[in-house]
Amino acid sequence: MAAFGALLRFSRRTLLLPQQFSPVVFFSSFCKNKYHYFPPPIQTPPAAKRIPFTATAHGITWQDPYHWMSNTNDPDFISYLQQEISYAEAFMQDTQGLQSTLYAEMVSRMPSKISTPPERWGPWLYYQYIPEGKEYPVLCRKLSTGRKGWVNTIVNSFREEIGREQILLDWNDIAEQYGYVHVGICRISPDHNYLAYTLDTTGDEQFLLQIKDLQSDLILPNSGVEGVVSLAWAQDSHTLFYTLSNKNQRPYRVMCTKLGSISVDDVTIFTENDSNFCVDITSTKDGKFITVNSNSRTSSEEGTYPLQFSSFMVYFINSMDPETGLQRFCRRVSGVQYFLEHHYGFFYILTNAPMRDDKKFSGNGYYLARCRVEDVQLANFQNIIMPGDDIYVEDMDIFNGHLVLFLNKDGSPSICSIDLPIDTNCKKLLEINDLSPWFFPLPSKMCTIAPGSSHEFMNSVYRVVLSSPVMPDLIVDYDMSRKVFSIVQQEEVTNISTRSIEYSSLNYNHSSDKSIDSSNGNDGDAQDNEIRGWRDLSEKYSCEEKEYFSHDGVRIPLTILFSRSAYQKGQSPGLLHGYGAYGEVLEKCWCPDRLSLLDRGWLLAFADVRGGGGSDPSWHKSGCGFNKLNSIYDFVSCGKYLIDQGLVHKGKLGAVGISAGCLLVGASINMHPGLFRAAILKVPFLDIINTLLDPCLPLTTLDYEEFGNPHIQSYFEYILKYSPYDNIPQGECCPSMLVSASFNDSRVGVWEAAKWVAKIRDTACSSCSSSVILQTNMSGGHFREGGRFAQCLEAAYEYAFLMKIMQK
């Protein structure tokens, strides 16, 4: 990855101890930033050329002299990015030793080999691992002997193959060939003979469909379709459905290909002509149906839970007989969503559709309905299951004997299972608690819950990944029939010490076949022992949930993380994380790299501002569209809270945002330039007015639902109030900033970061702006899909930047 050339060079040298900084006061006579202490830059910051350009909308005219940067083919733009890379390397030169130390710490916490527990699916055990010394994972499988009946017959016929590992896909081989790898989606055919996957080797997210014959280990010819987004196999294992995206990266068409067909062209199944809607396909858990959703929101970059305000039109295909074609489940109604699963002739429907007058529904979250497949055209929903008081349904999964519901219960994530089938003759309105749910035991209310790998419909065990800021990822199997659970594996983290015991390795692995029999008299003790197996680092690191009041008196959740031994209240530096867009919950999972900050006394804070996800689904709506300023005010209030309460040093607060989260950081910097000492803006969405005014850019029209359409004057005027690029204050001091971009980013143009930095240098205090650096990955994409070691290099670079700025 070209942007990290300097980091790769230092990683090959002998790792050194951190260099000692010798701070020199450097600021011009008009600089008011009393915390601006660091040596003068080795070279003068690059000055981007200015080309007059006048933009006009709704009778308002403004100048944008850096508009030319949107032409990424301009040699002058490439030259400018290279100059900025050189300047960043010079600026960070005195941190080389510190970067080396940080990188060594992060790598030392990794186990030599990382692997996932095997998942039994049909006659196979599927798993992934990262080979020792390698960057990327390998997808593998082995034949299993743990089943009886027809599976045992298959296994016996191939007994010589038992225990032999078959490599299905090696990310490392692809990376070595192309220099970049991003596998979008993988789907094994129902007969386990084919692997369909999508591959991006440039970072532009134009994924190429590949179909691999797992018996011959060869890629099928003519399978390389470009622009593929989602995949679904029919039950015959020779019919594959996929979605295609257009030039704006909008998935708009469903196609069908047949393996071995003499036809040259694939068949079009469905086309969505409305540019405001995207198409997605998926299979029901039992594989009997393929659902086609046309909705106004694609999966966002930080989650897959349903979003609250998009509109759905749903079709389905009989996977057992795909020749019957597409059938419509429902018409599109504004703001109404439907998610389908199938269970023995019934569609189970997760929806927020308005209910009849005689049924109560708040309109927030989802409820569960059901109808027979043959009654779809009649929309004859029955047996409606309501969440209950203070419970919001967020997602579902389904198995032969169990329904799994992901919930937000009393403000905390929760998950439960309900036995199936449900009484078909029951006429009354049911609530979850009427169905004897089993709420899965969890380590704490602060842990995040993500579905594990659970492909087998007939399974009664549901695999979940649990995590928290102080608990390494934990894989747990919940036996829904016996209502017991077992710990399968906990992420290994080496070289961590707790207050009472020194651990050379935090690695708690339990056999995936282990179970606890609730019928014996000691099942309670056994479960208590399992709970004690939920090991965390709370003795060493404190993780607290607080609330603070925003500008309008609304309470905003704030998660605070610090080392019990290294943190010093009022003296320690702090880093405030924000996202707050698209209805997603800000990620607060375990991240071992953070320990390098925590062990140096840093306080880390996570602000769940409005516009993100929350316990109440209306939390998203209160921070998007005409309410987007709430997100920014919430973020500012959080920063002030940390300083006013003496939790961090008033001159040592940093901020970090990713993609749309940089709207929070950039707008907050403009409104309160002195609040933050440093900021990290990663693949930043900052030039929102110009981007949303250009419908030809990828994903722009899809963002209208989140931010509003600036072609409408009222939205234009509102967005203009906070657009970071358009509101940089003239002559004001600004925090030091590390701005990182990717040249092939198709979601947020690389020019947004470049324009921001150029305008900061042109507009803000010249002394402060000299500590603004732009680091561009010249070969990567939006998600910067580096391997595990490359990610450590990137984190070490970012942390070294923060420590350099906060050194006094």
Side-chain angles (χ1 to χ4, degrees):
M1 302 172 74
F4 300 106
L7 301 181
L8 291 172
R9 285 194 294 274
F10 89 72
S11 69
R12 299 187 186 106
R13 302 170 187 163
T14 302
L15 298 179
L16 305 174
L17 293 175
Q19 288 181 251
Q20 295 298 315
F21 296 119
S22 299
V24 176
V25 179
F26 175 66
F27 54 89
S28 61
S29 58
F30 61 85
C31 182
K32 301 176 182 178
N33 190 345
K34 65 180 181 179
Y35 296 110
H36 194 110
Y37 294 95
F38 48 85
I42 298 174
Q43 62 189 56
T44 303
K49 72 177 183 181
R50 297 166 55 90
I51 298 178
F53 180 85
T54 301
T56 303
H58 305 294
I60 298 176
T61 299
W62 67 97
Q63 298 299 314
D64 186 6
Y66 302 113
H67 174 81
W68 65 273
M69 292 183 178
S70 59
N71 178 13
T72 57
N73 294 319
D74 188 333
D76 287 345
F77 182 58
I78 304 296
S79 175
Y80 171 68
L81 294 179
Q82 295 292 353
Q83 293 174 47
E84 288 287 0
I85 291 173
S86 296
Y87 181 71
E89 288 182 353
F91 185 88
M92 294 290 289
Q93 182 63 40
D94 59 349
T95 69
Q96 288 290 325
L98 177 58
Q99 290 180 54
S100 298
T101 298
L102 292 168
Y103 174 76
E105 290 176 4
M106 295 173 188
V107 171
S108 73
R109 298 189 192 107
M110 294 182 185
S112 59
K113 181 178 177 180
I114 300 172
S115 63
T116 63
E119 178 200 359
R120 194 186 306 276
W121 183 17
W124 297 94
L125 295 174
Y126 288 88
Y127 57 97
Q128 292 186 56
Y129 72 92
I130 301 179
E132 185 172 354
K134 295 290 188 178
E135 290 270 13
Y136 300 100
V138 178
L139 175 63
C140 303
R141 71 180 181 183
K142 293 180 181 179
L143 278 172
S144 169
T145 59
R147 292 287 184 91
K148 297 181 179 180
W150 67 271
V151 173
N152 195 46
T153 301
I154 295 176
V155 170
N156 287 335
S157 65
F158 295 99
R159 184 165 297 278
E160 69 276 6
E161 297 293 328
I162 295 173
R164 181 183 299 177
E165 179 177 270
Q166 180 184 8
I167 295 177
L168 308 183
L169 188 62
D170 189 336
W171 278 251
N172 299 283
D173 289 346
I174 302 171
E176 289 175 10
Q177 182 178 356
Y178 296 101
Y180 177 90
V181 58
H182 181 186
V183 176
I185 189 170
C186 291
R187 291 289 182 266
I188 300 287
S189 62
D191 64 3
H192 300 268
N193 288 333
Y194 296 96
L195 169 65
Y197 62 97
T198 59
L199 179 64
D200 172 19
T201 57
T202 65
D204 63 0
E205 296 187 65
Q206 287 296 315
F207 289 94
L208 182 73
L209 173 62
Q210 301 275 261
I211 303 175
K212 186 176 183 180
D213 185 332
L214 299 180
Q215 294 176 312
S216 67
D217 204 36
L218 297 175
I219 301 295
L220 298 186
N222 303 320
S223 66
V225 181
E226 292 186 349
V228 174
V229 180
S230 54
L231 304 170
W233 286 99
Q235 282 296 296
D236 62 10
S237 295
H238 280 75
T239 304
L240 178 67
F241 295 90
Y242 61 89
T243 57
L244 276 180
S245 60
N246 62 10
K247 63 180 180 180
N248 286 349
Q249 292 194 339
R250 178 178 72 91
Y252 77 111
R253 180 168 288 169
V254 178
M255 305 293 294
C256 176
T257 187
K258 286 185 176 291
L259 307 190
S261 172
I262 60 174
S263 175
V264 176
D265 298 324
D266 294 345
V267 178
T268 299
I269 302 299
F270 173 77
T271 300
E272 176 55 81
N273 294 313
D274 191 327
S275 62
N276 294 310
F277 296 92
C278 298
V279 176
D280 182 51
I281 57 173
T282 189
S283 297
T284 58
K285 190 60 166 277
D286 62 0
K288 299 293 180 64
F289 292 91
I290 294 168
T291 60
V292 178
N293 295 325
S294 177
N295 60 80
S296 54
R297 175 71 66 203
T298 56
S299 295
S300 71
E301 58 198 59
E302 295 207 358
T304 57
Y305 285 129
L307 296 173
Q308 290 293 321
F309 303 104
S310 52
S311 304
F312 276 49
M313 184 158 59
V314 182
Y315 299 85
F316 62 90
I317 300 169
N318 186 340
S319 180
M320 309 297 289
D321 185 13
E323 298 293 337
T324 57
L326 204 65
Q327 300 181 63
R328 189 172 66 189
F329 173 79
C330 64
R331 295 179 181 272
R332 180 176 290 127
V333 177
S334 179
V336 175
Q337 300 171 316
Y338 297 93
F339 302 90
L340 302 187
E341 273 295 355
H342 178 257
H343 188 269
Y344 293 103
F346 283 93
F347 279 131
Y348 281 75
I349 308 144
L350 194 64
T351 182
N352 62 347
M355 301 178 67
R356 297 193 299 272
D357 292 340
D358 61 333
K359 294 178 180 176
K360 297 179 181 179
F361 176 58
S362 67
N364 289 328
Y366 301 89
Y367 61 88
L368 202 68
R370 185 177 69 173
C371 73
R372 294 184 182 275
V373 173
E374 60 267 25
D375 293 340
V376 161
Q377 300 301 325
L378 302 176
N380 186 20
F381 293 179
Q382 57 176 313
N383 253 12
I384 295 174
I385 303 171
M386 297 296 296
D389 295 336
D390 298 320
I391 298 178
Y392 298 97
V393 181
E394 295 180 334
D395 207 350
M396 71 170 172
D397 205 343
I398 203 162
F399 293 83
N400 174 59
H402 305 279
L403 172 69
V404 178
L405 296 177
F406 285 78
L407 311 170
N408 192 295
K409 186 173 183 287
D410 298 323
S412 299
S414 180
I415 187 170
C416 74
S417 66
I418 294 170
D419 292 344
L420 292 178
I422 297 172
D423 182 7
T424 58
N425 297 317
C426 182
K427 301 298 182 182
K428 74 170 186 175
L429 183 65
L430 299 173
E431 292 189 359
I432 291 175
N433 288 332
D434 295 328
L435 297 169
S436 302
W438 179 45
F439 285 94
F440 295 0
L442 301 172
S444 76
K445 68 176 184 178
M446 294 182 66
C447 73
T448 61
I449 307 169
S453 187
S454 302
H455 290 87
E456 183 63 76
F457 175 73
M458 298 303 295
N459 204 354
S460 64
V461 176
Y462 194 63
R463 181 162 289 178
V464 170
V465 181
L466 307 177
S467 183
S468 85
V470 295
M471 184 180 74
D473 289 359
L474 187 70
I475 299 176
V476 180
D477 279 352
Y478 291 93
D479 189 325
M480 298 177 287
S481 294
R482 302 165 65 193
K483 294 182 173 50
V484 295
F485 69 94
S486 59
I487 297 173
V488 179
Q489 178 178 301
Q490 186 160 25
E491 179 181 338
E492 182 181 355
V493 185
T494 61
N495 296 330
I496 295 180
S497 63
T498 64
R499 182 176 303 174
S500 57
I501 303 175
E502 190 81 18
Y503 290 97
S504 60
S505 173
L506 268 177
N507 183 22
Y508 303 98
N509 291 309
H510 296 250
S511 168
S512 59
D513 294 328
K514 177 181 178 181
S515 61
I516 301 167
D517 189 353
S518 60
S519 63
N520 63 40
N522 299 318
D523 59 300
D525 293 338
Q527 291 291 265
D528 287 344
N529 289 333
E530 285 294 313
I531 290 175
R532 284 194 289 272
W534 284 337
R535 304 300 296 269
D536 61 32
L537 301 177
S538 57
E539 288 186 357
K540 184 173 178 64
Y541 303 103
S542 173
C543 186
E544 303 175 359
E545 285 187 324
K546 296 182 178 294
E547 288 185 337
Y548 64 95
F549 291 99
S550 190
H551 67 290
D552 54 359
V554 173
R555 292 177 178 269
I556 310 299
L558 177 65
T559 303
I560 294 175
L561 180 64
F562 58 87
S563 166
R564 297 186 186 275
S565 58
Y567 167 71
Q568 299 180 47
K569 185 176 181 180
Q571 298 301 313
S572 284
L575 185 63
L576 177 61
H577 297 69
Y579 183 53
Y582 303 106
E584 301 295 339
V585 176
L586 180 63
E587 184 176 301
K588 297 183 284 289
C589 298
W590 168 255
C591 176
D593 292 348
R594 293 189 191 125
L595 303 184
S596 291
L597 288 178
L598 296 174
D599 290 344
R600 287 170 172 81
W602 284 66
L603 178 144
L604 306 182
F606 304 85
D608 286 295
V609 301
R610 282 171 285 184
S615 58
D616 184 340
S618 66
W619 196 253
H620 174 215
K621 189 174 182 180
S622 63
C624 68
F626 284 120
N627 296 314
K628 186 60 188 175
L629 275 167
N630 283 337
S631 295
I632 299 162
Y633 295 149
D634 293 349
F635 194 71
V636 169
S637 297
C638 178
K640 290 182 175 180
Y641 172 87
L642 294 174
I643 292 173
D644 293 343
Q645 296 296 313
L647 296 175
V648 300
H649 188 285
K650 63 180 180 181
K652 294 185 178 182
L653 177 61
V656 60
I658 303 173
S659 191
C662 296
L663 276 174
L664 295 181
V665 180
S668 299
I669 288 171
N670 290 340
M671 294 177 183
H672 299 274
L675 180 60
F676 300 106
R677 173 99 173 261
I680 295 176
L681 304 172
K682 306 175 70 169
V683 290
F685 186 29
L686 298 165
D687 190 13
I688 182 171
I689 280 286
N690 289 315
T691 293
L692 295 186
L693 283 172
D694 186 352
C696 294
L697 291 174
L699 307 181
T700 287
T701 56
L702 300 177
D703 272 333
Y704 291 163
E705 185 179 8
E706 181 69 23
F707 301 103
N709 183 353
H711 292 283
I712 300 171
Q713 184 170 352
S714 56
Y715 276 115
F716 173 83
E717 293 173 349
Y718 186 81
I719 295 171
L720 191 59
K721 293 178 182 179
Y722 65 80
S723 173
Y725 179 71
D726 298 292
N727 288 282
I728 299 172
Q730 183 72 41
E732 290 285 345
C733 292
C734 67
S736 301
M737 286 182 250
L738 167 57
V739 184
S740 61
S742 293
F743 190 79
N744 293 329
D745 191 341
S746 59
R747 292 178 179 246
V748 180
V750 62
W751 58 85
E752 296 213 21
K755 289 175 67 175
W756 168 263
V757 171
K759 193 171 182 181
I760 285 284
R761 297 243 179 82
D762 190 42
T763 306
C765 160
S766 60
S767 177
C768 293
S769 63
S770 67
S771 62
V772 175
I773 60 175
L774 173 62
Q775 183 63 278
T776 304
N777 179 347
M778 299 301 293
S779 62
H782 187 73
F783 297 104
R784 306 170 73 89
E785 291 79 13
R788 55 172 177 161
F789 298 115
Q791 290 174 3
C792 290
L793 288 171
E794 184 175 344
Y797 188 91
E798 293 170 356
Y799 291 179
F801 171 82
L802 291 171
M803 293 175 191
K804 172 186 172 77
I805 302 305
M806 305 287 191
Q807 61 187 285
K808 182 176 178 290

